[in-house]
Amino acid sequence: MKKTLIIIPLFLGGILFSQRKPSAQPKTDFAGEFRRISDEIMLNSNAYENLRELVKGIGPRFAATPAYDKAVVWAEKKFAENGGSNIRRQDVMVPVWERGRESVQIKTAGGNWKSIPALALGTSEGTGGKDLTGEIIFAKDLAEFSQMFPSDVKDKIVFFNYAFDQTIINPNEAYLIAGKYRWSTPSLASRKGAKAVLTRSATSASDDLPHTGSVYYDVLDKNRIPALSIGARSADELEQLVKKQPVMVKINTTSATKGEKINHNVIAEIPGNKDNSVIVIGAHLDSWDISEGAHDNGAGVVQVLEVLRVFKKLDIKNRHTLRFVLFANEENGVHGGETYAAAVKKSGEKHIFAIESDAGGYSPRGISLDMIPQRRRLVFAWKNFFLPYGVYDFTQETSGQDIAPLKKLGIPLAELVPDMQRYFDIHHTSQDTFDKVNRRELNLGAVAMAQMVYMIDQNW
């Protein structure tokens, strides 16, 4: 009888206790999962060898070229090797722009013609292979140019020598300021009657390496003038010359846009285990025609492949569909990103997040968050998980060019932020080559991307 009196109260107590306070579910060991992801990538990554295959085996992958078509086939193969499913192409209409040949020569009064290194800017009109000659008019910046009358500019070749602001510590911020002189000045100069534009390369370096990049002509421009970029050293020397005496310039380029062609975004997935909501992990597959595009953006391409590989290899049970997208034509118009966003809008397919790698394969330092403050705060709470991997900066608010069109649909965006102090020395140049990429730094970027995708997938 005593045993019964003892046993029954304990049994009832157990029932009452379980009703008041259910046993807690075991919490996910996020730190442990971060370590698993990191160890797998740092020990077994294929990213560096994949990069070698892409940039050495195929080389420059400019939009609307046979090399880009080869890159598409290569990407499909790699998606399959790494366990992707639903691998497919998405048609993207892109411009067929051909650089051809280009030359820039200058001459002072009584002097001889002297060639200086130059590159035509993407989508720039050419001179039809004929010499275009005119006197240089110098503008130190856009503010000074805005004060010039059309009569001052007419039939001149406008030269802008706006240097990278070395006092801005974040080089991407400096690039966005200097880059305006590349993409906006041809239209501005054309409206005042200029014959052509020369701009200083948007670079942090002080060498004489010319950098290319896109020009954006205004749709209302009746006269699309040639636009070329020259190296920093030549730009500084030219500025000193024009301040002392009249300088003539002779431009000859055969660059031209010759219609349109279909290229492709390349897409693969890991289906979700909870629902079909989509997380995009992206990079652009194309590069400039003059470059292997190892950092821009071969590094991003192979990091995307590595995120796919590690999720499959570790058998991570992703809740949402992970969609891996290699975009077409980022360099010369962002048509791949625009096409993808238009398809998402038309289908109404739910996307909860998109992240891109398009800032080089250097050591990761942070993840930029282009999203509403409430979402940013959710990510800030995870900072301590990232700190052991050297990823600490979550303050920036930009996103990659290819996923930027998704912002109009209210989708939270992010971008891997590497240490970019050397990036703009070689950005959009012939020197963006495989030997400039460090294996360990490349892998660390893939680690950070995979960790962020994992946290979004498990928590949103």
Side-chain angles (χ1 to χ4, degrees):
M1 188 65 179
K2 290 182 179 179
K3 288 182 180 179
T4 302
L5 291 172
I6 294 171
I7 292 171
I8 290 175
L10 285 175
F11 177 67
L12 291 173
I15 293 173
L16 293 172
F17 179 77
S18 66
Q19 291 174 335
R20 289 194 306 268
K21 187 177 180 181
S23 58
Q25 295 295 317
K27 293 184 178 180
T28 303
D29 179 11
F30 292 134
E33 289 299 300
F34 268 44
R35 173 53 63 187
R36 275 214 316 152
I37 290 169
S38 178
D39 287 353
E40 172 58 31
I41 292 176
M42 298 308 289
L43 291 172
N44 300 312
S45 170
N46 297 322
Y48 196 67
E49 291 309 314
N50 283 339
L51 182 62
R52 187 196 305 274
E53 282 185 28
L54 179 63
V55 305
K56 291 298 185 184
I58 298 175
R61 308 168 299 283
F62 194 55
T65 65
Y68 185 81
D69 295 336
K70 291 179 182 178
V72 167
V73 174
W74 176 89
E76 291 173 321
K77 178 175 176 249
K78 289 298 173 182
F79 274 148
E81 288 177 359
N82 287 293
S85 62
N86 196 18
I87 299 168
R88 60 195 186 275
R89 300 180 183 187
Q90 182 178 49
D91 289 353
V92 180
M93 191 64 72
V94 303
V96 181
W97 182 78
E98 296 178 0
R99 175 178 302 280
R101 64 180 187 273
E102 62 228 329
S103 68
V104 173
Q105 296 176 288
I106 60 172
K107 185 177 75 168
T108 58
N112 297 317
W113 288 107
K114 174 189 173 184
S115 294
I116 58 175
L119 286 173
L121 296 174
T123 70
S124 170
E125 295 297 326
T127 67
K130 299 177 182 179
D131 290 341
L132 186 156
T133 305
E135 184 180 346
I136 287 179
I137 183 170
F138 170 68
K140 68 178 181 180
D141 55 29
L142 288 170
E144 183 173 279
F145 180 74
S146 69
Q147 299 302 312
M148 294 179 178
F149 294 104
S151 57
D152 299 323
V153 177
K154 185 173 174 57
D155 293 330
K156 302 285 178 51
I157 295 174
V158 185
F159 166 48
F160 293 91
N161 187 27
Y162 188 88
F164 224 74
D165 188 341
Q166 302 291 352
T167 67
I168 298 176
I169 303 306
N170 182 345
N172 193 50
E173 293 178 9
Y175 171 74
L176 291 175
I177 297 170
K180 290 187 298 184
Y181 290 82
R182 185 190 79 215
W183 57 70
S184 68
T185 56
S187 282
L188 296 174
S190 174
R191 291 172 202 162
K192 292 188 177 184
K195 285 184 173 181
V197 165
L198 293 179
T199 63
R200 180 194 184 104
S201 292
T203 176
S204 52
S206 57
D207 56 24
D208 212 26
L209 189 66
H211 298 229
T212 191
S214 285
V215 167
Y216 297 103
Y217 291 109
D218 192 291
V219 293
L220 300 178
D221 287 347
K222 296 180 180 179
N223 180 32
R224 297 187 172 189
I225 61 177
L228 297 95
S229 179
I230 62 177
R233 190 180 306 149
S234 287
D236 287 338
E237 291 174 357
L238 185 54
E239 178 180 342
Q240 295 306 310
L241 277 176
V242 298
K243 285 181 175 179
K244 296 175 183 177
Q245 58 190 302
V247 177
M248 300 295 291
V249 63
K250 180 166 41 178
I251 296 170
N252 191 311
T253 172
T254 60
S255 61
T257 300
K258 301 178 179 179
E260 294 180 312
K261 177 183 177 180
I262 292 178
N263 273 181
H264 299 95
N265 293 336
V266 189
I267 301 172
E269 294 177 347
I270 303 176
N273 289 286
K274 171 179 172 275
D275 59 39
N276 294 323
S277 299
V278 175
I279 295 173
V280 169
I281 305 97
H284 67 84
L285 186 56
D286 63 312
S287 75
W288 277 104
D289 56 320
I290 58 163
S291 171
E292 289 181 4
H295 276 289
D296 185 19
N297 189 29
V301 168
V302 300
Q303 286 170 339
V304 168
L305 290 170
E306 191 60 21
V307 176
L308 168 59
R309 188 194 71 82
V310 77
F311 266 79
K312 295 296 291 187
K313 180 65 183 293
L314 297 181
D315 195 26
I316 297 172
K317 302 300 183 185
N318 50 292
R319 300 168 70 239
H320 311 289
T321 293
L322 305 186
R323 180 172 296 162
F324 305 86
V325 185
L326 301 180
F327 294 95
N329 189 240
E330 186 272 348
E331 298 292 11
N332 208 29
V334 198
H335 294 88
E338 294 284 0
T339 298
Y340 182 83
V344 172
K345 181 178 181 179
K346 183 177 180 179
S347 68
E349 184 180 46
K350 184 178 179 181
H351 283 51
I352 63 171
F353 181 73
I355 186 170
E356 182 168 6
S357 174
D358 184 20
Y362 300 103
S363 294
R365 293 290 177 256
I367 294 174
S368 181
L369 305 172
D370 187 1
M371 57 189 69
I372 61 175
Q374 295 93 321
R375 288 288 182 184
R376 292 172 60 81
R377 286 194 289 270
L378 293 175
V379 177
F380 290 161
W382 307 332
K383 183 175 180 178
N384 286 340
F385 293 119
F386 287 94
L387 288 178
Y389 304 92
V391 177
Y392 58 86
D393 182 3
F394 296 88
T395 63
Q396 299 184 46
E397 299 183 25
T398 58
S399 63
Q401 283 283 89
D402 297 291
I403 61 174
L406 294 171
K407 186 173 182 177
K408 297 175 184 176
L409 306 180
I411 298 167
L413 308 178
E415 183 176 22
L416 182 67
V417 179
D419 185 335
M420 301 178 72
Q421 298 302 332
R422 293 171 287 163
Y423 182 62
F424 292 107
D425 289 5
I426 61 173
H427 179 247
H428 292 181
T429 75
S430 60
Q431 298 304 302
D432 182 6
T433 50
F434 178 72
D435 59 291
K436 306 298 193 309
V437 180
N438 177 272
R439 180 195 299 267
R440 186 173 175 83
E441 290 182 326
L442 181 69
N443 287 337
L444 285 168
V447 168
M449 280 191 77
Q451 291 168 336
M452 178 56 75
V453 170
Y454 171 77
M455 290 299 284
I456 294 292
D457 178 66
Q458 295 297 309
N459 292 284
W460 283 20

